[in-house]
Amino acid sequence: MLSEAYKDEMIDDDEFIALATIQIEQNNFVTISYEQQIVFNEAKNQFVESWEKYQNENPVL
């Protein structure tokens, strides 16, 4: 869509660069957020596993 608007001369060079930069920054933010979510999920899963192992090894009387 952005490249089509540029080809059709609906936006100029400066507008194209500004909009492309915004798209790249948004994409990078989404990628970083997704990677952080994966790291968080892995850490959470490891904690749950170790907590369950602890509970199994140390039953409450």
Side-chain angles (χ1 to χ4, degrees):
M1 186 165 165
L2 181 58
S3 58
E4 291 169 4
Y6 184 68
K7 285 181 201 171
D8 295 341
E9 298 180 5
M10 295 169 59
I11 58 175
D12 63 18
D13 292 348
D14 292 335
E15 289 172 316
F16 178 79
I17 291 170
L19 292 170
T21 301
I22 290 169
Q23 283 188 347
I24 290 167
E25 288 173 356
Q26 287 175 338
N27 189 34
N28 287 344
F29 178 74
V30 169
T31 301
I32 290 167
S33 297
Y34 179 71
E35 289 171 356
Q36 287 174 339
Q37 185 65 42
I38 290 172
V39 169
F40 172 78
N41 286 342
E42 288 176 359
K44 182 177 70 173
N45 291 340
Q46 287 178 357
F47 171 79
V48 169
E49 285 177 26
S50 62
W51 178 248
E52 288 172 349
K53 182 179 176 186
Y54 172 80
Q55 287 181 322
N56 291 334
E57 293 173 355
N58 301 289
V60 177
L61 298 175

